[in-house]
């Protein structure tokens, strides 16, 4: 079958296990989980966040991916790590604004990205699979973003409907 719910379940279970989903979060922290199917690959993420003075801080993202036979396992890990940070950017920072018909952001100097001091610990787990190789690219972006949004929703009890996340 094109979409294998068993493979999606396995990455969700692996991310949950490695991300301590079944354990209480440390005091003042909240977790969210999300999964998806991108480029023929299955991926899931658990994010752990805290909120202070209306600001979201991501402490940890744990991701698991099944991209079939990993031809370059180290490359897969790096794609997951980078995609997780990209998902964090989308959840918390990236926004194009328009003023009087013109885009306000003229360059990357005006377009805030996650800085090293803001970057969480990112753990990537690759499922050992005998399936044919599938895509890796940016597969970790959607579940990382979703896991962060779900963790923030767990913190304040409200479903978020817009990105980037703005609290207050």
């Amino acid at each position: 079958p094109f979409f294998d719910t068993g493979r999606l379940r396995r990455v969700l279970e692996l991310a949950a296990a490695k991300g301590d989903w079944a354990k209480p979060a440390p005091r003042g922290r909240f977790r969210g989980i999300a999964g998806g199917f991108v480029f023929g690959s299955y991926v899931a993420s658990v994010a752990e966040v805290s909120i202070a003075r209306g600001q979201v801080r991501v402490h940890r993202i744990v991701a698991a991916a099944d991209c079939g036979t990993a031809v370059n396992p180290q490359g897969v890990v790096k794609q997951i790590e980078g995609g997780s940070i990209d998902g964090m950017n989308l959840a918390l920072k990236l926004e194009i604004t328009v003023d009087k018909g013109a885009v306000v952001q003229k360059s990357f100097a005006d377009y805030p990205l996650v800085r090293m001091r803001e970057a969480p610990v990112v753990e990537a787990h690759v499922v050992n699979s005998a399936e044919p190789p599938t895509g890796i690219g940016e597969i970790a972006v959607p579940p990382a973003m979703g896991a962060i949004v779900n963790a923030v929703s767990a913190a304040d009890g409200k479903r978020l409907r817009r990105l980037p996340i703005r609290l207050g």
Side-chain angles (χ1 to χ4, degrees):
F2 180 70
F3 182 78
D4 185 337
T5 57
R7 290 174 73 187
L8 179 59
R9 179 180 176 170
R10 282 190 288 281
V11 294
L12 281 162
E13 288 173 345
L14 179 58
K18 298 293 187 177
D20 300 325
W21 185 254
K23 298 177 186 174
R27 184 181 174 105
R29 293 192 186 183
F30 303 87
R31 291 193 189 110
I33 191 168
F37 178 67
V38 183
F39 304 137
S41 296
Y42 303 84
V43 62
S45 296
V46 171
E48 188 172 285
V49 308
S50 64
I51 299 172
R53 294 178 295 283
Q55 297 296 311
V56 177
R57 178 169 178 216
V58 180
H59 297 275
R60 183 177 179 215
I61 298 173
V62 178
D66 178 348
C67 58
T69 301
V71 176
N72 178 355
Q74 197 171 33
V76 172
V77 166
K78 297 304 175 196
Q79 286 289 330
I80 293 168
E81 290 170 346
S84 295
I85 298 297
D86 285 346
M88 183 178 163
N89 275 317
L90 289 165
L92 301 178
K93 293 182 173 261
L94 300 185
E95 181 175 34
I96 300 280
T97 54
V98 177
D99 184 33
K100 298 178 185 158
V103 173
V104 174
Q105 296 75 18
K106 302 295 182 196
S107 71
F108 281 119
D110 303 322
Y111 201 63
L113 297 169
V114 172
R115 304 291 186 214
M116 288 298 291
R117 70 180 178 275
E118 302 168 300
V121 171
V122 179
E123 298 172 33
H125 302 277
V126 181
V127 171
N128 186 13
S129 175
E131 296 292 328
T134 53
I136 187 63
E138 297 82 17
I139 69 168
V141 174
M145 184 173 42
I148 291 166
V149 168
N150 287 334
V152 172
S153 291
D156 72 5
K158 299 177 191 164
R159 295 302 302 163
L160 298 168
R161 304 283 183 220
R162 299 190 72 182
L163 293 178
I165 297 169
R166 299 282 185 254
L167 301 177

